[in-house]
């Protein structure tokens, strides 16, 4: 019997970065996301269907779209928007499925807005969910299969999103997960500490069939499993590529792996430096980071032609009002190519969140503000306003002309890249509150409509925020 063709629409709702269309985050600065293209590839071939992908960062969602099933991927900062879209499509009789990091962290929050939620990695459950739906047997919750393997899957269908709207669609994934357990990180809470890996031959086959020469690995910690990283880097060498990715600072203490990374074409890495306070790092289970060695990390990466985007968070319990300038100046002196600063964000159900909630310090559960730029909890040694303003101070210091010059001279990146990235970040640094709409928090302008006033767990408006 012929089954009717399903019309599936997959949506990545717009998040905090896209509130200000026309800002510095123009189309050309984004790389193509992998979530929707991966999900599209996982739709069973024997299920008659058509599929459409909508990345709301580059295109509007037609509210009158026709579909049998809409799937939305949700991170905490986009949850409010995702729920709004979900409620709308369900009111039109369309079946809605929600999945992604936020749904995995806190499924009961998403469940009322969906016909089904998918928790965890969905390589096995998403195809099953679709078969169930086609058979009229959709369940309300699908949870990551215990023996999940991410290898042996079809390659992401990158062609389903328009490549012209992105800086690149040469975006790849070799691994998932991380072996560490940093208190503020979503990864161990959402997906556990088991590293998942695609067979190296499959990663290479995907790169080859896509014809990528310059690419991005989105893996959160490419060196989570040393043996795998060694195998991958070694296999990449003959391809003579250039690649960018994420790793921990531990790479710098592993001369063999670092050399292989350099030889395999690694040109830039993003690393979570997090804090210059060892006490902060220890308290948050990231004691393997040693701030006294950060300058050495940079020097060793540079020696292999690798530039560093070093990320710091502010608001951990040891931070006091002098932390912002100290950290920014530290980053400049350490010659970090591109320092970045964010507010530590207690994503739901992470150890950090649970601790702050137990202490009555979570100020708001308006998920839209959980974007790593807004202060959503009561800091220990400063006011919300000091923390919110301090981040701008750090950005402005790190991207002053003087600081740019002091860092730029040492970068291994080609001059046009060094200058372009620093100018981009300088512009961002000087317009930060505009992009993230933080002004209302620090009282500079009246509050804008969609945000709620942070309130303490007890329900009263916090005076230091108002
Ligand atoms: C690449 C990436 C980005 C890219 C692209 C984002 C994008 N939309 O794809 C960029 C750089 C733009 C980015 C930006 C940000 N990101 Co980001 N990003 C990632 C990263 C490293 C990989 C995501 C990815 O493509 N994974 C590969 C795909 C295949 O996996 P997946 O998305 O998890 O999908 C699988 C399952 O989750 C599930 N699934 C997911 N969605 C759905 C939907 C349905 C219907 C179903 C059935 C299943 C399902 O099935 C998939 C297959 O198993 C993740 C970390 C991570 N490893 O997940 C962080 C991550 C998603 N980002 C995060 C954050 C916080 C941000 C920013 C807010 C950071 C900032 N301050 O700017 C911004 C906000 C972006 C926005 N939307 O406004 C957090 C989200 C935490 C949270 N609870 O919200 C993560 C988890 C990182 C972290 N450790 O905290 N990010
Ligand atoms: S090392 Fe990075 S990815 Fe791993 S748990 Fe810590 S913050 Fe998360």
């Amino acid at each position: 019997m012929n089954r009717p063709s399903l019309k599936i629409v997959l949506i990545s709702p717009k998040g905090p970065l896209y509130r200000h269309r026309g800002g510095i985050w123009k189309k050309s600065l984004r790389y193509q996301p992998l979530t929707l293209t991966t999900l599209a590839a996982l739709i069973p071939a024997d299920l008659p269907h058509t599929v459409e992908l909508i990345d709301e960062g580059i295109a509007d969602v037609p509210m009158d779209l026709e579909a049998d099933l809409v799937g939305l991927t949700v991170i905490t900062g986009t949850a409010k928007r995702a729920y709004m879209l979900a409620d709308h499509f369900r009111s039109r009789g369309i079946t809605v499925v929600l999945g992604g990091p936020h749904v995995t962290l806190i499924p009961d929050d998403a469940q009322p807005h969906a016909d089904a939620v998918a928790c965890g990695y969905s390589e096995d459950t998403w195809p099953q969910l679709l078969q169930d739906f086609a058979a009229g047997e959709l369940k309300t919750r699908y949870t990551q299969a215990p023996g999940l393997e991410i290898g042996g899957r079809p390659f992401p269908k990158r062609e389903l999103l328009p490549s012209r709207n992105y800086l690149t669609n040469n975006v790849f994934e070799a691994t998932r997960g991380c072996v560490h357990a940093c208190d503020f990180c979503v990864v161990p809470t959402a997906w556990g500490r088991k590293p998942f890996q695609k067979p190296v031959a499959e990663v290479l086959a995907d790169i080859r069939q896509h014809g990528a020469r310059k690419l991005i690995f989105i893996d959160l910690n490419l060196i989570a499993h040393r043996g795998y990283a060694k195998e991958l880097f070694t296999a990449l060498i003959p391809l003579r590529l250039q690649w960018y990715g994420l790793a921990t600072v531990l790479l710098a203490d592993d001369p063999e792996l670092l050399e292989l990374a350099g030889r395999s074409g690694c040109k830039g890495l993003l690393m979570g430096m997090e804090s210059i306070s060892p006490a902060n790092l220890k308290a948050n289970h990231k004691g393997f980071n040693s701030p006294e060695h950060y300058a050495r990390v940079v020097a060793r990466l540079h020696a292999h032609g690798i530039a560093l985007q070093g990320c710091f968070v502010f608001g951990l319990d040891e931070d006091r009002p002098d932390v912002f300038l100290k950290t920014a100046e530290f980053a400049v002196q350490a010659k970090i190519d591109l320092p970045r600063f964010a507010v530590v964000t207690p994503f739901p159900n992470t150890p950090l969140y649970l601790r702050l909630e137990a202490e009555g310090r979570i100020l708001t559960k308006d998920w839209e503000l959980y974007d790593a730029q807004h202060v959503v909890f009561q800091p220990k040694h400063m006011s919300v306003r000091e923390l919110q303003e301090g981040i701008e101070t750090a950005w402005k210091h790190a991207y002053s002309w003087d600081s740019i010059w002091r860092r730029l001279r040492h970068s291994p990146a080609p001059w046009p890249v060094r200058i372009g990235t620093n100018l981009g970040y300088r512009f961002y640094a000087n317009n930060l509150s505009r992009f993230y709409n933080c002004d209302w928090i620090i009282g500079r302008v009246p509050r804008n409509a969609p945000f709620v006033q942070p309130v303490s767990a007890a329900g009263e408006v916090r005076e230091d925020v108002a």
Side-chain angles (χ1 to χ4, degrees):
M1 192 184 72
N2 278 346
R3 292 203 272 182
S5 179
L6 286 183
K7 168 110 198 262
I8 302 167
V9 178
L10 296 172
I11 302 174
S12 178
K14 66 182 163 192
L17 282 178
Y18 307 125
R19 283 193 196 118
H20 303 273
R21 284 265 178 93
I24 57 161
W25 303 102
K26 290 195 201 312
K27 290 174 188 173
S28 62
L29 282 180
R30 300 195 197 111
Y31 56 83
Q32 190 185 78
L34 262 189
T35 307
L36 301 185
T37 53
T38 299
L39 289 170
L42 290 168
I43 301 173
D46 62 353
L47 190 72
H49 71 274
T50 58
V51 59
E52 185 186 345
L53 310 187
I54 304 176
D55 172 1
E56 215 188 354
I58 59 158
D60 291 324
V61 175
M63 301 304 272
D64 58 352
L65 62 78
E66 296 297 332
D68 298 301
L69 184 143
V70 166
L72 291 140
T73 183
V74 191
I75 65 169
T76 305
T78 64
K80 206 160 148 181
R81 174 74 182 158
Y83 296 163
M84 197 277 270
L85 292 172
D87 295 346
H88 169 78
F89 291 124
R90 290 180 85 202
S91 76
R92 292 187 44 221
I94 298 172
T95 298
V96 171
V97 180
L98 297 175
H102 183 73
V103 177
T104 303
L105 289 171
I106 183 165
D108 290 345
D109 189 64
Q111 193 85 60
H113 303 277
D115 296 286
V117 294
C119 304
Y121 299 132
S122 306
E123 267 66 14
D124 292 329
T125 47
W126 169 235
Q128 183 60 50
L129 180 155
L130 290 170
Q131 299 283 18
D132 289 354
F133 175 67
E137 293 168 3
L138 186 70
K139 299 175 185 60
T140 53
R141 190 170 293 191
Y142 290 79
T143 304
Q144 178 176 320
L148 176 82
E149 295 287 341
I150 60 167
R153 312 285 174 173
F155 299 144
K157 292 197 168 182
R158 300 179 182 84
E159 68 281 8
L160 292 182
L161 282 173
S163 57
R164 66 179 179 282
N165 290 88
Y166 301 100
L167 179 65
T168 177
N169 67 358
N170 291 336
V171 181
F172 296 84
E173 187 191 32
T175 66
R176 286 203 200 137
C178 184
V179 288
H180 301 292
C182 310
D183 270 11
F184 44 78
C185 183
V186 166
V187 181
T189 302
W191 300 295
R193 291 172 66 184
K194 178 182 168 206
F196 294 90
Q197 293 140 2
K198 295 184 181 175
V200 167
E202 282 181 26
V203 180
L204 263 60
D206 191 13
I207 293 171
R208 283 206 180 93
Q209 63 87 27
H210 191 61
R213 306 290 314 151
K214 247 188 192 181
L215 54 102
I216 294 169
F217 282 112
I218 53 140
D219 313 45
L220 272 173
N221 180 11
L222 254 183
I223 62 162
H225 187 286
R226 187 180 187 275
Y228 179 85
K230 208 175 145 185
E231 189 190 340
L232 177 68
F233 297 164
T234 307
L236 288 173
I237 294 171
L239 272 62
R240 303 173 68 84
L241 307 167
Q242 290 187 7
W243 63 267
Y244 300 81
L246 291 79
T248 61
V249 294
L250 296 175
L251 178 63
D253 293 329
D254 190 333
E256 188 192 7
L257 200 56
L258 179 58
E259 205 224 319
L260 280 175
R263 284 176 54 211
S264 70
C266 178
K267 294 294 168 203
L269 286 172
L270 183 151
M271 290 181 174
M273 325 293 282
E274 321 297 5
S275 175
I276 58 170
S277 151
N280 264 339
L281 292 162
K282 194 157 175 262
N284 288 278
H285 298 113
K286 199 154 187 173
F288 59 83
N289 272 18
S290 310
E292 71 270 26
H293 296 145
Y294 283 169
R296 193 175 75 190
V297 170
V298 182
R300 288 182 178 172
L301 292 178
H302 284 182
H304 290 275
I306 301 171
L308 174 66
Q309 190 170 65
C311 300
F312 293 89
V313 291
F314 291 126
L316 294 170
D317 278 357
E318 295 299 320
D319 287 349
R320 289 171 169 76
D322 62 352
V323 71
F324 308 103
L325 270 180
K326 263 191 190 165
T327 308
E329 179 53 24
F330 178 98
V332 175
Q333 286 188 15
K335 305 185 181 73
I336 293 175
D337 301 81
L338 288 175
R340 279 175 55 174
F341 309 97
V343 190
V344 64
T345 302
F347 288 110
N349 287 336
T350 55
L352 176 66
Y353 180 92
L354 297 175
R355 190 170 69 235
L356 291 174
E357 186 163 59
E359 293 170 6
R361 291 166 61 193
I362 295 290
L363 297 176
T364 176
K365 293 186 183 175
D366 179 351
W367 302 133
E368 193 172 9
L369 298 176
Y370 283 62
D371 61 358
Q373 297 299 326
H374 288 90
V375 181
V376 297
F377 65 98
Q378 182 58 49
K380 194 160 185 184
H381 296 299
M382 60 185 112
S383 68
V384 167
R385 176 192 292 251
E386 279 172 308
L387 178 50
Q388 195 72 64
E389 285 184 333
I391 288 160
E392 285 196 55
T393 307
W395 273 100
K396 283 182 178 156
H397 181 79
Y399 289 92
S400 68
W401 292 121
D402 176 60
S403 301
I404 288 179
W405 176 241
R406 285 196 284 151
R407 290 185 291 97
L408 197 76
R409 287 181 291 156
H410 307 280
S411 176
W415 274 100
V417 176
R418 291 186 218 183
I419 293 171
T421 47
N422 271 283
L423 290 182
Y425 271 146
R426 183 180 153 82
F427 184 76
Y428 178 68
N430 288 321
N431 291 275
L432 195 62
S433 57
R434 199 155 65 79
F435 286 114
Y436 278 97
N437 207 359
C438 296
D439 280 1
W440 66 272
I441 288 192
I442 55 178
R444 224 184 264 157
V445 295
R447 213 192 108 219
N448 267 343
F451 301 118
V452 296
Q453 186 77 35
V455 291
S456 76
E460 79 274 12
V461 174
R462 301 292 300 221
E463 281 189 4
D464 48 357
V465 195

